Amino acid sequence: MAKRKVDTENRGFQTRWESEYMFTKVAGKPVCLLCGESVAVLKEYNLRRHYETKHADKNKNMDMEQRLQKAEELKRGLKSRQALFKKAKSQGQAAVKASFILAEEIAKSARPFTEGDFIKNCMIKVCDEVCPEKRQLFLNVSLSRNTIAERVDQLSINLKEQLVKKGKDFIAYSLAVDESTDISDIAQLSIFIRGVDSNLSVTEEFLALRPMHGTTTGHDLYEEVSRCVNEMELPWEKLVGLTTDGAPAMCGHRSGLVAKIREKMQEENATGELTAYHCIIHQEALCGKALKMEHVMSIITRTVNFIRAKGLNHRQFKAFLTELETEHGDLPYHTEVRWLSQGKVLQRCFELCEEICLFLDSKGKDTTQLRDEMFLCEMAFLCDITSHLNAINLQLQGRDRVISDMYSTVKAFKTKLTLWETQMRKENLSHFPSCQTMKEKLSTSAFPSTQLADKIGMLAADFRRRFADFEAQKSRLELLGNPFAVDVESSPPNLQMELIDLQCNDALRAKYAAVGAAEFARFLPGTMPQLRIQAAQTLSMFGSTYLCEQLFSLMNLNKTSHRSRLTAEHLHSILRISSAQSLTPNIDELVEKMGHHQVSPSTSNK
């Protein structure tokens, strides 16, 4: 005989039971209004037995009207207690959620965890003036140092869990790896991931920051990267690209990070080949050194330092410029680490050259070099060419940059260098305004256009040499950049049929013209699986380690001389929150998990 199921019998609660047995229905279960106990099975016999056993003697002298009145009073009391409990619960959840929100803001703004106490004191003072009756609600929000630290760790874990979940859908991913040193002289290895899922949506996120207390050899770097990839449960066979800063420990042919990862992929029987790149931005900055014009920069740096290093000189120079009513009122500093500052210093020095010489004369300094016409021509040229280099540098920076677009930017600059060299030999200075100004000022000697054209030629040669690895991937990058212009016959055999179908499809050609190369890949139909895989692999590649460099700036903002004891775990959590781009912490989910830790208003004063 089949066992009876109570929930299938459609038993309903009858209103008369409220006065007869002092029961009411709460959340689908009968609950005694007198003692608060609930009965498992909704049957009149069970309710009557409970009432007669435990409460019959207390209410035997009541008539029906009195019993009805008492039942109503008990129901009102129960509802008020329930409302109070719900209010306390919602207030507790709101307090926990507020602490999460403020912890996220503290992490993003690089503030110390102790800032939570300061924020709470400010909140209380504002509350006392604006809404004093709600003071207790603000007091319930815990913002102590330990609470903020705990919340930051929980937010970081939540972001990591989301990334791990996204990583399971990646059909291709690449890594960007760079290494730097923090304020405590601890080597920090920064790792970012760029993954593409089956919908060809790109996710670009911080993967890990690993402190390295010992050596930083290729093997040490490999161990950290390998551990990170395994922790995130990322399959090695889907790794297609690795971008580094080009250091020997990263790119060594035998024991560098790239070589070690290639060995690991062979062990894992990965069919694809790892493509390694040297950061485009880093290489572009190194190309600038091919000009061999350090002698010009050293004189300018020495001059700027004389003016800026001593407070008296600096004040007098600014006052001197004010008297002359010049367009600029000061000179900026230049530092080798900040590549873009060189162009600003050169431009300002060129524009204020006469005023600088007058000021140095008043200080008894020799200005022969600064007045030399050959030096001034070289400074004008360096000013213009540095401005062009800075422009391409800025074009290459930023998040979510597609490697094919970055390659196109470099390719365009190489073409410009060829044009500039030709024009310079003909003394056509259309694209060199400072040189044009200098040529007009020359008194006797001719403008050294041939020597400067040779400099441009040296720069162009260095660009070709340094970007040879990108030239080797030219066909692959052009396939994503403009698949409609690719030569089908020279393409890989597995792509040829799909390329013909694509190039003959007018609707897809129109879509490409409308959305551009980066977005067009998403519109490739499922009937072109090889092209979609190829697009996913190229989209996943990093063109630079810009994100790593940006992370090191965030690291230095957080781990300062005043916070040098910040633990590696807390630093890691802060950086994951502050660098998150496409992911946001699910605070509501975290609050739900924290339900059993909520503090009720009745105990908050203890």
Side-chain angles (χ1 to χ4, degrees):
M1 183 177 177
K3 192 174 181 179
R4 293 171 59 197
K5 292 185 178 180
V6 174
D7 57 353
T8 62
E9 294 182 4
N10 297 320
R11 294 173 179 171
F13 185 85
Q14 298 183 31
T15 308
R16 63 183 178 83
W17 294 346
E18 291 183 352
S19 56
E20 290 182 14
Y21 309 122
M22 294 296 169
F23 267 85
T24 190
K25 190 177 180 181
V26 177
K29 287 189 175 183
V31 176
C32 179
L33 291 167
L34 296 171
C35 65
E37 288 187 18
S38 61
V39 175
V41 180
L42 186 58
K43 288 175 63 176
E44 183 176 7
Y45 170 78
N46 294 340
L47 274 59
R48 183 172 63 248
R49 186 178 64 179
H50 173 89
Y51 176 76
E52 291 176 351
T53 304
K54 298 188 176 182
H55 308 298
D57 294 339
K58 298 177 183 177
N59 302 302
K60 61 183 178 181
N61 297 324
M62 288 185 180
D63 58 23
M64 185 54 64
E65 186 177 346
Q66 291 174 324
R67 294 166 76 90
L68 279 169
Q69 186 176 355
K70 185 170 183 178
E72 287 300 320
E73 289 177 1
L74 291 171
K75 281 172 65 179
R76 284 196 296 272
L78 176 63
K79 288 179 180 177
S80 64
R81 290 195 301 274
Q82 287 175 331
L84 182 63
F85 176 76
K86 287 179 181 178
K87 183 179 179 182
K89 183 179 180 182
S90 64
Q91 288 178 352
Q93 287 180 331
V96 173
K97 185 173 182 177
S99 68
F100 272 112
I101 293 171
L102 286 171
E104 183 181 9
E105 292 303 316
I106 287 172
K108 285 182 177 179
S109 60
R111 303 282 183 178
F113 296 153
T114 52
E115 202 83 354
D117 289 322
F118 171 74
I119 293 172
K120 185 170 182 177
N121 289 335
C122 293
M123 285 165 48
I124 297 299
K125 290 183 183 295
V126 171
C127 177
D128 288 341
E129 296 299 324
V130 178
C131 49
E133 72 281 359
K134 295 185 178 180
R135 191 175 199 270
Q136 187 59 56
L137 296 178
F138 287 90
L139 287 172
N140 290 343
V141 181
S142 178
L143 296 176
S144 65
R145 182 198 177 283
N146 289 340
T147 300
I148 295 298
E150 182 183 350
R151 298 287 189 267
V152 167
D153 287 340
Q154 289 171 312
L155 290 166
S156 174
I157 291 170
N158 183 264
L159 287 171
K160 182 180 178 181
E161 289 172 350
Q162 290 183 48
L163 186 58
V164 170
K165 187 176 179 181
K166 269 183 170 285
K168 295 184 186 303
D169 297 328
F170 290 160
I171 59 175
Y173 71 92
S174 296
L175 302 176
V177 182
D178 201 356
E179 181 258 325
S180 186
T181 306
D182 64 20
I183 191 72
S184 303
D185 289 330
I186 298 173
Q188 300 281 0
L189 186 68
S190 169
I191 309 170
F192 273 79
I193 185 172
R194 184 178 170 94
V196 180
D197 61 20
S198 56
N199 296 320
L200 298 185
S201 296
V202 180
T203 300
E204 191 177 76
E205 288 293 338
F206 167 70
L207 200 59
L209 182 76
R210 295 300 174 97
M212 306 185 71
H213 298 279
T215 57
T216 56
T217 63
H219 178 74
D220 298 323
L221 299 177
Y222 164 73
E223 287 293 327
E224 294 297 336
V225 173
S226 177
R227 189 178 300 117
C228 182
V229 170
N230 292 331
E231 283 178 5
M232 297 298 291
E233 302 174 19
L234 296 166
W236 286 99
E237 64 269 16
K238 293 180 182 178
L239 176 62
V240 296
L242 178 64
T243 304
T244 68
D245 62 353
M250 297 282 188
C251 301
H253 292 295
R254 293 187 178 181
S255 57
L257 172 64
V258 175
K260 293 286 184 181
I261 288 184
R262 281 177 174 153
E263 289 178 10
K264 175 65 176 178
M265 292 179 69
Q266 289 177 356
E267 291 175 11
E268 297 288 331
N269 297 318
T271 54
E273 184 180 350
L274 179 72
T275 303
Y277 289 115
H278 181 179
C279 170
I280 291 179
I281 299 175
H282 192 223
Q283 290 197 84
E284 183 272 334
L286 290 174
C287 285
K289 298 184 182 296
L291 293 168
K292 299 188 183 302
M293 300 187 74
E294 292 80 3
H295 61 288
V296 176
M297 202 63 214
S298 63
I299 293 172
I300 292 173
T301 303
R302 192 162 59 245
T303 302
V304 172
N305 286 344
F306 172 77
I307 294 172
R308 293 289 307 257
K310 292 185 179 179
L312 178 61
N313 286 350
H314 190 201
R315 291 193 300 274
Q316 290 176 341
F317 180 70
K318 289 197 291 184
F320 179 68
L321 293 179
T322 303
E323 287 176 16
L324 295 176
E325 296 182 350
T326 58
E327 182 182 351
H328 305 292
D330 201 359
L331 275 178
Y333 260 132
H334 163 58
T335 173
E336 191 70 23
V337 177
R338 300 183 184 276
W339 303 326
L340 299 179
S341 66
Q342 180 176 333
K344 296 176 182 178
V345 172
L346 282 165
Q347 187 66 40
R348 190 68 58 85
C349 284
F350 180 76
E351 293 171 357
L352 293 175
C353 188
E354 187 60 36
E355 290 81 1
I356 291 171
C357 289
L358 289 173
F359 180 76
L360 292 179
D361 286 339
S362 69
K363 289 290 183 178
K365 289 288 182 180
D366 182 19
T367 59
T368 305
Q369 287 179 313
L370 288 174
R371 295 182 187 277
D372 180 72
E373 289 186 344
M374 185 61 186
F375 171 81
L376 291 173
C377 289
E378 289 183 325
M379 181 168 73
F381 170 75
L382 188 58
C383 180
D384 287 332
I385 199 69
T386 303
S387 174
H388 291 310
L389 287 168
N390 284 354
I392 182 180
N393 193 293
L394 288 171
Q395 282 182 275
L396 294 170
Q397 291 184 25
R399 297 190 72 118
D400 299 318
R401 299 304 309 271
V402 180
I403 193 169
S404 57
D405 292 342
M406 298 177 77
Y407 168 73
S408 297
T409 301
V410 173
K411 188 169 66 172
F413 191 77
K414 288 192 289 186
T415 305
K416 290 176 185 178
L417 286 172
T418 304
L419 173 67
W420 294 338
E421 182 182 0
T422 304
Q423 290 181 336
M424 182 64 75
R425 293 193 187 280
K426 297 177 181 178
E427 293 196 9
N428 179 352
L429 305 176
S430 306
H431 304 287
F432 291 80
S434 299
C435 290
Q436 184 72 46
T437 303
M438 197 61 231
K439 183 182 177 182
E440 294 169 359
K441 290 182 179 180
L442 287 177
S443 56
T444 55
S445 58
F447 188 78
S449 56
T450 304
Q451 295 96 308
L452 298 180
D454 291 340
K455 296 281 186 185
I456 298 175
M458 291 167 58
L459 182 61
D462 206 47
F463 260 84
R464 287 192 293 270
R465 180 179 65 85
R466 289 191 175 277
F467 289 97
D469 53 346
F470 285 91
E471 283 296 325
Q473 298 289 328
K474 180 180 178 180
S475 58
R476 184 178 191 175
L477 298 175
E478 288 179 345
L479 191 61
L480 178 67
N482 188 359
F484 294 95
V486 172
D487 179 34
V488 175
E489 193 172 346
S490 61
S491 300
N494 64 321
L495 300 176
Q496 290 176 345
M497 296 300 101
E498 293 182 10
L499 270 174
I500 292 173
D501 292 337
L502 174 67
Q503 293 179 358
C504 294
N505 191 313
D506 292 335
L508 289 175
R509 188 182 291 272
K511 178 62 72 174
Y512 173 83
V515 302
E519 293 295 323
F520 175 70
R522 296 184 187 180
F523 296 95
L524 288 171
T527 54
M528 301 179 183
Q530 294 301 319
L531 280 176
R532 287 180 66 86
I533 292 172
Q534 188 73 23
Q537 291 177 347
T538 307
L539 280 171
S540 74
M541 290 182 183
F542 282 102
S544 73
T545 57
Y546 169 82
L547 293 179
C548 297
E549 297 289 350
Q550 191 180 51
L551 189 84
F552 291 138
S553 297
L554 286 173
M555 178 186 74
N556 292 330
L557 278 174
N558 283 278
K559 193 169 183 179
T560 63
S561 55
H562 300 292
R563 297 181 75 190
S564 58
R565 295 178 65 187
L566 187 69
T567 65
E569 291 77 15
H570 286 154
L571 177 62
H572 187 275
S573 297
I574 290 169
L575 294 179
R576 187 179 292 282
I577 294 168
S578 55
S579 66
Q581 186 73 6
S582 59
L583 302 178
T584 53
N586 191 335
I587 293 178
D588 290 331
E589 179 184 312
L590 291 169
V591 171
E592 284 297 321
K593 289 181 180 179
M594 294 276 299
H596 58 285
H597 292 304
Q598 290 176 3
V599 181
S600 66
S602 60
T603 61
S604 57
N605 290 326
K606 294 181 181 179

